[in-house]
């Protein structure tokens, strides 16, 4: 089916990848950092996963899949938040704040990345707030941007990160900062949590991997092992394969339309 669709749309689509039109760009490496939850965080994750699974099975049997979609999405979001930190679950109940990702990220910033500049993306503003607290505790200077940031403060944050050598880290909301930013001062990117659409993540990485970049870019996706996040990664891989099968790159610039 993918091959037939490709033949149908091929005369009408010209795809020019960055590798073809910006060959002066340095290399880009993408990898995954697998994080193993510690005991407290794992207990919270397993308890919620089992509870939510049983609730959803009963709901689907009673109402059907179509009428349960919103509840399924809410449930998936909740267990994805636990992968970041149980502290994101509720302000009223204390599920602990153990976060293997924040621990690993702080170690990478302090010990593994030298003087390189770093972009840190998360789709959860609450997760960015938790990371901010840890950066403050450790006297690490950073810039910050989310959906509530005004245009004036947005521009100031970009300039601060691009021009101030002391500001090594830029915390960015995935949806608010995935497009429209030129952050070529950075050459390390950390995607703290996976998103369903691989194109959104690629756009985030491209905030620093664009014309004007003269350093090798290294992008990491942080994934908790044995969780929903691994399933999201598998889902995205299948989705990307289908997209690549249908929309191929044509080396010839000129195409004839009849």
């Amino acid at each position: 089916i993918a091959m037939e669709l490709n033949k149908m749309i091929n005369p009408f689509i010209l795809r020019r990848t960055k590798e073809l039109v910006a060959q002066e760009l340095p290399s880009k490496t993408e990898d995954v950092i697998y994080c193993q939850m510690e005991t407290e965080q794992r207990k919270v994750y397993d308890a919620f996963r089992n509870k939510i699974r049983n609730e959803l099975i009963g709901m689907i049997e009673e109402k059907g899949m179509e009428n349960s979609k919103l509840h399924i999405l809410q449930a998936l979001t909740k267990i994805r938040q636990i992968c970041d930190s149980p502290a994101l679950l509720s302000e009223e109940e204390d599920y602990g704040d153990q976060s293997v990702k924040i621990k690993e990220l702080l170690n990478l910033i302090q010990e593994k990345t030298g003087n390189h500049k770093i972009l840190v993306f998360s789709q959860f503003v609450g997760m960015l707030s938790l990371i901010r607290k840890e950066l403050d505790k450790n006297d690490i200077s950073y810039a910050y941007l989310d959906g509530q940031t005004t245009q004036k403060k947005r521009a100031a944050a970009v300039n601060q990160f691009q021009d101030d050598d002391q500001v090594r880290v830029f915390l960015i909301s995935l949806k608010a900062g995935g497009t429209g930013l030129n952050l070529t001062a950075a050459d390390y990117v950390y995607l703290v949590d996976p998103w369903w659409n691989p194109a959104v993540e690629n756009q985030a990485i491209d905030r620093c991997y664009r014309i004007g970049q003269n350093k090798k870019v290294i992008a990491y996706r942080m994934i908790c092992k044995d969780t929903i996040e691994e399933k999201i990664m598998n889902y995205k891989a299948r989705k990307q394969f289908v997209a690549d099968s249908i929309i191929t790159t044509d080396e010839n610039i000129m195409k004839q339309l009849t």
Side-chain angles (χ1 to χ4, degrees), residues 164-180:
D164 189 342
D165 291 339
Q166 300 303 311
V167 180
R168 288 185 52 231
V169 181
F170 202 156
L171 303 180
I172 308 174
S173 168
L174 184 65
K175 293 183 179 179
T179 57

Side-chain angles (χ1 to χ4, degrees), residues 121 145 154 172-181 183 203-204 207:
F121 287 93
L145 187 157
R154 183 185 177 103
I172 308 174
S173 168
L174 184 65
K175 293 183 179 179
T179 57
L181 296 176
L183 301 170
Q203 287 175 341
R207 295 315 90 214

Side-chain angles (χ1 to χ4, degrees), residues 75-201:
L76 289 175
T77 299
K78 189 170 288 187
I79 58 175
R80 288 173 58 233
Q81 287 176 319
I82 299 171
C83 292
D84 279 352
S85 172
L88 298 181
L89 284 178
S90 172
E91 294 180 357
E92 290 138 22
E93 296 187 55
D94 184 9
Y95 296 102
D97 60 357
Q98 192 176 82
S99 172
V100 64
K101 289 186 179 181
I102 294 178
K103 184 177 179 180
E104 179 67 22
L105 184 62
L106 262 291
N107 179 57
L108 290 165
I109 292 171
Q110 293 176 309
E111 306 293 340
K112 305 293 185 182
T113 53
N115 293 318
H116 294 268
K117 290 212 170 197
I118 302 163
L119 305 182
V120 178
F121 287 93
S122 174
Q123 65 178 288
F124 299 115
V125 174
M127 184 59 170
L128 294 178
S129 296
L130 294 176
I131 297 172
R132 289 180 79 173
K133 291 178 183 177
E134 292 302 314
L135 295 179
D136 288 335
K137 284 181 187 176
N138 290 274
D139 294 321
I140 299 172
S141 298
Y142 60 89
Y144 179 87
L145 187 157
D146 65 23
Q148 301 302 311
T149 305
T150 64
Q151 282 298 117
K152 185 176 180 180
K153 290 184 176 179
R154 183 185 177 103
V158 170
N159 292 335
Q160 180 189 28
F161 179 77
Q162 287 285 98
D163 300 334
D164 189 342
D165 291 339
Q166 300 303 311
V167 180
R168 288 185 52 231
V169 181
F170 202 156
L171 303 180
I172 308 174
S173 168
L174 184 65
K175 293 183 179 179
T179 57
L181 296 176
N182 189 337
L183 301 170
T184 51
D187 54 346
Y188 276 76
V189 183
Y190 293 96
L191 298 165
V192 176
D193 32 63
W195 184 237
W196 301 99
N197 187 347
V200 174
E201 293 183 349

Side-chain angles (χ1 to χ4, degrees), residues 8-20:
M8 292 171 64
I9 66 175
N10 190 55
F12 309 103
I13 292 179
L14 173 62
R15 186 186 187 195
R16 305 295 291 158
T17 63
K18 188 173 293 185
E19 288 75 17
L20 290 175

